[in-house]
């Protein structure tokens, strides 16, 4: 029998494999709408068949056409590997260098059925956040990574491995782009068409850049958001226990809210229309209870309020029904949000009320226009119910999933009186922007490539010690941020956050990221940590993403619709030491709505890794702070001035303040 290493090295198999049987317990992607003409379908087949020898074409052509007609895409299921898909310890990968092996580990983690939303379709999260378009691309990519040297770079073209190119040792080993369309061809139907043709893909934020670490990645940001939302709304002396956080979505955008609500110590009610997704999160321990009856839910929530409980409840059904019923029952909702995949509203990212999950999926495939009408009707009803609650005092915030954007496009009552702004804030505008991003705090991730939990435990302890030292001398402006993250790491293990790879996340500024990473590198060198560590982040950060309705929604100088920062970020990281870099169209809020960049950096205990981490992590954060300070964000001005005092070679243009009375006199 062919070994795992041999299969990886082979790439496209030399003999045509047999058709695969599907595990019915694996969640499948919704069937995409039929958007291609006959001539375009012929082109899609030609594009797919070019991966394979011509003698296979007679057999594969009708099979791939059947996939295209049935699923709206050519996934090449026959070429799914026979080995189990999960993140193996780094030394089990066939590779000529540790950098390539680390990337292989991260790719497999993103496709692990315990991690990925629709693993057969190579979709990690968000309904359409893909690692690859098809299985041939996966096989070729792993082959290239297994054979590449430290003087080659693999170029990834929206899932397609273009090939290995000569490059210096200090260059990135992989350069990833996803969905980088000409601007006039970046509408939702353009994605449907060109993805069906097999020439582009939607990489989300961390799926197509191989940096997804399971729900933990977003649990931290959600926890910080929920804790601070309660801080904003509760009276002095009140606690969040027995208070309701009502939201939706347990599959596409990771299902983090129940776990975050438990950590923030409240009652979390989270609706999910896909029963399999709800069950999966319950089995993984990310939600405490599951209820599928609305009457039962009402009674259980009233009981939890009465007992001031901390509990998370998944409701198998539509969140619109909950909002409406809770209003009728006079159940007060303290915090409200939504985390369905509304960046992908017409292909299963949001399911309309009053029709079943199965009926909705049928409409997506066979009556897409009718489905769109249903979604927009549901969004209007959804917004109306929320408005009734907010009139009673509920604090509702948009959690960056394009809920308010799509609701406004549907004609829902979500606009402010000026007709330009939304009546509800983005959580970045109210919380993460001024409290975290403007100060340089954002999602710093690491993966212990040994696969050993004891290595993760050691990194947790290192991170705590580093942050405690920094906090002792930190200014009052960032004391709360430091303490929240120290508490997070102290409680991380007991909260059982690991799904897939042995990974962790916390929010840190440039100083924190560099000092923690340097301490990791020293521990690897000494042998205290047994194998390399991969560093990364969510693109949802200070500097990586230009997103006018989320990451940069608290930019008020008119530049929030520009994308220079994200482009600078990926270029700047590339020559400062990143092991791999990525730049994407779309991610979180939708195709054509955002440009976002990310990186991966392998720490191997070497002096070279120490130099890289200092150069790259410093720029990766301060690029964003400088842009935010130029937008006149006071917190960012404070942060960049503080950084310039610490780093004399950093020189950033600071805006001059204008007295508004000057404008009053002019106008």
């Amino acid at each position: 029998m062919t070994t795992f290493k041999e299969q990886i090295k082979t790439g496209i198999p030399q003999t045509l494999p047999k058709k695969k049987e599907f595990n019915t317990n694996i969640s499948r992607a919704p069937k995409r709408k039929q958007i291609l003409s006959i001539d375009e379908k012929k082109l899609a087949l030609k594009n797919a068949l070019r991966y394979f020898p011509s003698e296979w074409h007679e057999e594969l052509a009708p099979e791939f056409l059947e996939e295209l007609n049935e699923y709206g895409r050519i996934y090449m299921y026959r070429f799914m590997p026979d080995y189990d898909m999960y993140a193996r310890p780094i030394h089990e990968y066939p590779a000529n260098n540790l950098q390539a092996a680390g990337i292989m580990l991260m790719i497999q983690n993103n496709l692990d059925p315990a991690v990925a939303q629709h693993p057969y379709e190579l979709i990690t999260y968000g309904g359409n956040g893909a690692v690859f378009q098809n299985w041939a691309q996966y096989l070729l990519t792993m082959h290239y990574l297994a054979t590449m040297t430290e003087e080659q770079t693999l170029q990834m073209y929206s899932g397609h491995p273009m090939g290995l190119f000569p490059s210096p040792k200090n260059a990135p080993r992989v350069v990833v782009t996803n969905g980088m369309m000409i601007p006039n061809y970046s509408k939702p139907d353009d994605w449907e068409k060109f993805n069906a043709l097999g020439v582009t893909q939607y990489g989300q934020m961390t799926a197509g850049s191989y940096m997804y670490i399971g729900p933990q990645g977003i649990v931290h940001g959600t926890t910080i958001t929920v804790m601070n939302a309660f801080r904003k709304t509760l009276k002095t002396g009140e606690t969040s226990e027995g208070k309701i956080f009502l939201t939706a979505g347990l599959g596409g955008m990771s299902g983090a809210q129940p776990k975050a609500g438990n950590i923030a110590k409240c009652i979390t009610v989270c609706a999910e229309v896909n029963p399999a997704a709800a069950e999966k999160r319950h089995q993984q321990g990310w939600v405490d209870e599951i209820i599928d009856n609305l009457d039962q839910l009402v009674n259980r929530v009233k009981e939890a309020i009465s007992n001031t409980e901390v509990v998370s409840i998944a409701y198998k059904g539509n969140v619109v029904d909950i909002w409406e019923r809770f209003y009728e029952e006079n159940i007060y909702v303290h915090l409200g949000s939504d985390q369905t995949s509304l960046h992908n509203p017409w292909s299963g990212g949001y399911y309309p009320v009053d029709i079943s999950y199965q009926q909705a999926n049928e409409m997506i495939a066979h009556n897409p226009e009718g489905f769109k009408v249903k979604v927009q009707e549901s969004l209007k009803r959804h917004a109306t119910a929320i408005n009734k609650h907010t009139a009673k005092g509920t604090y509702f915030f948009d959690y960056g999933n394009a809920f308010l954007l799509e609701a406004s496009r549907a004609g829902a009552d979500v606009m402010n009186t000026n007709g330009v702004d939304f009546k509800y804030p983005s959580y970045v505008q109210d919380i993460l922007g001024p409290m975290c991003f403007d100060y340089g705090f954002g999602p710093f991730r690491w993966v212990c490539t040994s696969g050993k939990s004891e290595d993760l435990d050691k990194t947790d302890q290192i991170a705590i010690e580093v942050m405690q030292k920094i906090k002792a001398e930190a200014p009052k402006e960032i004391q709360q941020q430091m303490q929240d993250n120290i508490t997070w790491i102290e409680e991380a293990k007991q909260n059982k956050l690991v799904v897939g790879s042995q990974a962790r996340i916390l929010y840190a500024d440039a100083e924190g990221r560099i000092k923690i990473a340097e301490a990791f590198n020293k521990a690897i060198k000494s042998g205290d940590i047994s194998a390399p560590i991969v560093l990364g982040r969510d693109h949802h950060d200070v500097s990586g993403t230009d997103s006018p309705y989320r990451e940069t929604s608290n930019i008020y100088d008119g530049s929030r619709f520009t994308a220079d920062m994200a482009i600078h970020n990926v270029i700047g990281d590339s020559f400062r030491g990143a092991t791999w870099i990525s730049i994407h169209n779309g991610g979180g809020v939708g195709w054509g709505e955002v440009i976002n960049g990310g990186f991966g950096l392998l720490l191997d205990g070497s002096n070279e890794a120490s130099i890289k981490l200092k150069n790259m992590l410093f720029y990766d954060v301060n690029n964003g702070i400088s842009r935010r300070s130029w937008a006149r964000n006071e917190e960012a001005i404070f942060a960049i001035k503080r950084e310039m005092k610490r780093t004399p070679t950093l020189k950033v243009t600071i805006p001059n303040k204008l007295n508004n009375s000057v404008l009053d006199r002019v106008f």
Side-chain angles (χ1 to χ4, degrees), residues 49 51-59:
L49 291 168
Y51 286 101
F52 308 104
S54 56
E55 56 267 28
W56 295 358
H57 290 180
E58 284 290 339
E59 184 171 348

Side-chain angles (χ1 to χ4, degrees), residues 133 251 300 339 486 636 652:
Q133 297 178 58
R300 178 67 186 94
Q339 208 160 324
I486 291 168
V652 172

Side-chain angles (χ1 to χ4, degrees), residues 285-594:
W286 289 74
V287 62
D288 298 327
E289 302 174 16
I290 291 185
I291 294 174
D292 59 8
N293 178 279
L294 198 53
D295 291 336
Q296 185 182 349
L297 177 68
V298 167
N299 292 334
R300 178 67 186 94
V301 168
K302 287 180 177 179
E303 177 186 35
I305 294 170
S306 177
N307 296 330
T308 59
E309 293 183 47
V310 173
V311 65
S312 56
I313 304 167
Y315 172 67
K316 290 196 282 189
N318 200 293
V319 73
V320 178
D321 289 324
I322 302 179
W323 280 107
E324 292 176 342
R325 182 66 181 275
F326 278 16
Y327 184 79
E328 293 171 6
E329 297 284 342
N330 201 29
I331 294 175
Y332 184 71
V333 176
H334 280 77
L335 303 183
S337 192
D338 186 88
Q339 208 160 324
T340 53
S341 300
L342 256 165
H343 67 277
N344 180 30
W346 322 128
S347 297
Y350 179 92
Y351 284 81
V353 70
D354 286 345
I355 62 172
S356 72
Y357 179 64
Q358 291 76 16
Q359 287 172 320
N361 282 331
E362 285 295 315
M363 287 189 76
I364 291 169
H366 303 297
N367 183 12
E369 289 305 313
F371 181 77
K372 182 175 181 179
V373 170
K374 285 281 187 185
V375 165
Q376 293 192 319
E377 288 175 349
S378 187
L379 282 168
K380 285 189 279 190
R381 188 168 149 187
H382 195 160
T384 297
I386 289 167
N387 291 341
K388 289 180 178 179
H389 282 269
T390 58
K392 294 169 65 176
T394 296
Y395 175 69
F396 183 86
F397 57 92
D398 186 292
Y399 199 49
N401 66 331
F403 172 76
L404 291 178
L405 183 63
E406 290 302 333
S408 69
R409 290 169 175 169
D413 180 17
V414 294
M415 302 306 297
N416 212 331
T417 52
N418 62 16
V420 176
D421 301 315
F422 298 127
K423 65 167 65 176
Y424 303 115
S426 154
Y427 71 117
V428 174
Q429 287 175 294
D430 260 18
I431 297 168
L432 284 193
M435 289 192 60
C436 294
F437 294 166
D438 285 354
Y439 285 117
F441 284 81
F444 177 59
R445 299 179 174 189
W446 64 90
V447 175
C448 296
T449 66
S450 66
K452 296 178 180 178
S453 60
E454 52 264 39
D455 276 345
L456 186 61
D457 292 344
K458 290 173 183 175
T459 63
D460 284 347
Q461 190 56 42
I462 289 171
I464 289 170
E465 291 171 1
V466 169
M467 288 191 292
Q468 286 174 334
K469 288 179 182 177
I470 296 173
K471 181 177 181 288
E473 299 181 0
K476 63 179 179 7
E477 286 85 351
I478 60 172
Q479 285 286 327
Q480 184 69 65
Q481 292 90 323
M482 295 297 303
Q483 187 55 55
D484 282 347
N485 283 282
I486 291 168
T487 302
W488 164 266
I489 295 296
E490 287 174 340
E491 298 177 354
K493 187 172 184 177
Q494 71 190 53
N495 283 316
K496 299 179 180 178
L497 296 163
V498 171
V499 176
S501 59
Q502 293 293 320
R504 187 69 76 224
I505 183 174
L506 58 82
Y507 269 31
D509 60 5
E511 179 186 12
R513 298 184 209 204
I514 291 169
K515 288 182 176 178
I516 292 169
E518 179 68 359
F520 289 169
N521 201 49
K522 289 178 180 177
I524 295 166
K525 184 176 183 177
S526 70
D528 193 35
I529 292 174
S530 66
I533 286 174
V534 169
L535 299 183
R537 57 164 168 75
D538 194 341
H539 302 195
H540 173 56
D541 199 358
V542 179
S543 180
T545 296
D546 282 299
S547 179
Y549 297 107
R550 195 161 83 176
E551 283 78 7
T552 44
S553 61
N554 70 317
I555 299 291
Y556 301 109
D557 69 348
S559 71
R560 65 187 178 125
F561 293 97
T562 65
D564 302 76
M565 180 178 71
I567 302 301
H568 287 158
N569 177 260
V570 74
I571 294 172
D573 284 358
S574 72
F575 62 79
R576 287 181 170 88
T579 304
W580 74 97
I581 53 169
S582 59
I583 189 78
H584 300 182
N585 167 20
V589 297
W591 180 262
E593 306 284 0
V594 52

